[in-house]
Amino acid sequence: MTAAGAAGLRTGRVVVVGASLAGLRAAEALRDEGFTGELTLIGDEPHEPYDRPPLSKAVLSGRLDSDHIALPRVRDIGARWLLGTPATGLDVPGRRVELADGRSLGYDRLLIATGTRARRWPVQAGGGLEGVHVLRTREDAERLRGALAAGPRRVLVVGAGFTGGEVASSCRELGIPVTVTQRSAAPLAGALGGVLGRAAAEWYREVGVDLRLNTTVQALEGDACGRLRRAVLSDGTAMPVEVAVIATGAVANTEWLAGSGLAADHRGVVSEGDCRAVAGSGRPVEDVFVAGDVARWPHPLYPGQLLRLDHWDNAVAQARTAAYNLTRGPDERRDHQPLPAFWSQQFGRYLKSVGVPAVADRVVVTQGALDQRQFVAAYGLKGRLVGVVSVDSPRVLDGYAALIEARAPFPPRLGATDGPDRLEPVDAGFPGRAAGGPQEHDIRTPSALAPAQTAHR
Amino acid sequence: MITQPPPQPLRLVVDLNRCQSYGQCVYAAPTVFRFHGEESLEYDYAPGDGVRREVERAAAACPVQAITLSGATEPAPVACGGGR
């Protein structure tokens, strides 16, 4: 790439589709990288970029107003913002994005950062009833907060993942009775496995959550006015309930890419290590990049699968890498291979994770104990350390992170003074997987709000 | 006559992957940062300009530099048609 060619990559028209955390940070990073051309941000929500993790915690509990969660804009970006304007189509060879208002925008290089949305309950099973909620946006949080303020007799939370736990925790802080159903044998089982999940079940029970494990919702039933009145559970219970929160995971926002030729579906957009989008043919597309919750990409620490991380941290880091590569020629690009990390705050606890616990076959408590308020658990796959989770021990993770990146053996040799005398790894207890068996599908680790927030985002 | 543009409202975010609950921000700006539970930090993203100095001190005091403050001077973007 000649100097003139590289300079060409810092001019022209860049369009960023998605105006949440990844889209905003990518736009700022583009300017940091010296991009001087025309920059457009397209967002389907009418708000300036805001942070999603507090929606299920401080906002839902009423400790923080939803107009107090806008993300800081760290620098001027000189962009045209098209907010409240969903993208509806992409023409890759013609380099155009179609918008819901009928306009189409040409680009020289495109960044896809459309994220995920909450999976909804099917309408034919009662998903359209008033009182059935999801939690992903500011409007969702305001609507649910209003429903909780009306003093419902009981709230039903469907799903005991990160979002479900955070919502149940916030409801109990407000003094509202809560039932949580979980399809598998423990909360958080999909992300952290059954061993940690059984410890988390105690967090639910100690604050009085009615936790129904191995239980699904068969129907949500309404009255003649279309208001939720009753939930029928697989254990035979018919429960009077006016508020239900569906917290059963996230779906990638990729419908607008139908027909574009990109390898995109409900799981996300397949991309390369350098964030370039991959076409259905398997070949990368030279001028389309992907970042944030919507991306699925290969990570050298976790071979044999594509990672999709609903993590705040990943949205920021991948946005920066995508912006770096978008302004450079092929020889100068770098791969996005951060050590994954996420957090959750629920039931008064601060849970942090590094690596990817969800791929593990074994788990061992290395500090504290599962029935204590503070503990650390290490996750291994085939004798290698792949993930670590800490609860109310936020200062220990840096050391573990270094061990994971160094591909340290499992169980890890730490010599922690607060650890058990002998490390005794057990099967991590991930649902639907035989002990030590292969992953059957991509890893999808929930976020602080996902989500998101999982943190998500 | 040159008029200064008004200062942009103060905004902040804390990277809670990086945060290690040292609590220095809570000491520096107790009206903005607090613990909810023993180790879980909560904070106001838009605390108003009256506490700008305290928040700047909190950001400087954070041992893991987890606090990001707004630096843009551009007005906030609004939705097409003025938002809803």
Side-chain angles (χ1 to χ4, degrees), chain A residues 132-429:
Chain A
V132 180
H133 297 258
V134 294
L135 185 52
R136 177 74 192 177
T137 67
R138 277 180 57 168
E139 285 77 10
D140 293 339
E142 281 163 21
R143 209 175 299 126
L144 181 54
R145 185 160 136 184
L148 298 180
R153 282 173 300 177
R154 177 166 293 274
V155 170
L156 171 66
V157 179
V158 183
F162 287 103
T163 303
E166 290 171 8
V167 170
S169 171
S170 295
C171 288
R172 293 304 299 133
E173 284 174 7
L174 295 167
I176 301 166
V178 185
T179 295
V180 179
T181 60
Q182 169 76 340
R183 196 169 44 183
S184 59
L188 303 174
L192 304 181
V195 176
L196 242 75
R198 282 191 287 282
E202 291 309 309
W203 311 344
Y204 283 67
R205 292 185 179 121
E206 74 186 12
V207 296
V209 174
D210 168 33
L211 177 62
R212 312 267 182 124
L213 299 169
N214 301 306
T215 304
T216 57
V217 174
Q218 290 186 322
L220 297 174
E221 298 172 351
D223 61 16
C225 305
R227 286 185 301 243
L228 176 67
R229 280 291 170 262
R230 210 165 74 118
V232 181
L233 310 185
S234 60
D235 63 7
T237 312
M239 175 182 295
V241 64
E242 296 122 11
V243 178
V245 185
I246 310 303
T248 54
V251 185
N253 292 320
T254 54
E255 288 77 3
W256 69 286
L257 296 169
S260 68
L262 297 184
D265 59 21
H266 65 281
R267 295 171 300 173
V269 184
V270 178
S271 49
E272 297 275 303
D274 65 6
C275 307
R276 279 178 305 160
V278 171
S281 64
R283 279 196 298 275
V285 178
E286 200 49 46
D287 44 24
V288 180
F289 292 76
V290 191
D293 288 3
V294 77
R296 290 171 68 213
W297 88 103
H299 192 302
L301 272 179
Y302 305 95
Q305 60 230 323
L306 295 172
L307 279 184
R308 186 173 81 73
L309 300 175
D310 280 334
H311 298 170
W312 196 94
D313 205 50
N314 186 64
V316 173
Q318 202 165 19
R320 287 190 184 133
T321 304
Y324 180 93
N325 291 339
L326 196 148
T327 51
R328 280 168 177 78
D331 312 337
E332 297 180 277
R333 289 180 191 148
R334 62 182 192 218
D335 277 350
H336 172 63
Q337 37 188 255
L339 188 64
F342 67 87
W343 84 92
S344 173
Q345 294 169 342
Q346 50 182 283
F347 304 108
R349 287 164 169 85
Y350 185 20
L351 181 149
K352 295 180 82 171
S353 166
V354 288
V356 183
V359 301
D361 53 18
R362 311 282 283 171
V363 65
V364 64
V365 174
T366 53
Q367 294 176 242
L370 291 176
D371 59 357
Q372 291 173 5
R373 196 168 174 91
Q374 299 180 290
F375 65 83
V376 183
Y379 289 77
L381 174 64
K382 300 189 176 90
R384 185 162 74 78
L385 183 69
V386 291
V388 173
V389 169
S390 78
V391 173
D392 270 0
S393 316
R395 289 184 277 287
V396 304
L397 281 182
D398 288 353
Y400 286 101
L403 288 174
I404 297 169
E405 293 203 287
R407 294 175 162 77
F410 176 89
R413 289 183 284 276
L414 302 160
T417 52
D418 58 345
D421 294 339
R422 231 179 79 234
L423 294 185
E424 292 174 3
V426 295
D427 183 83

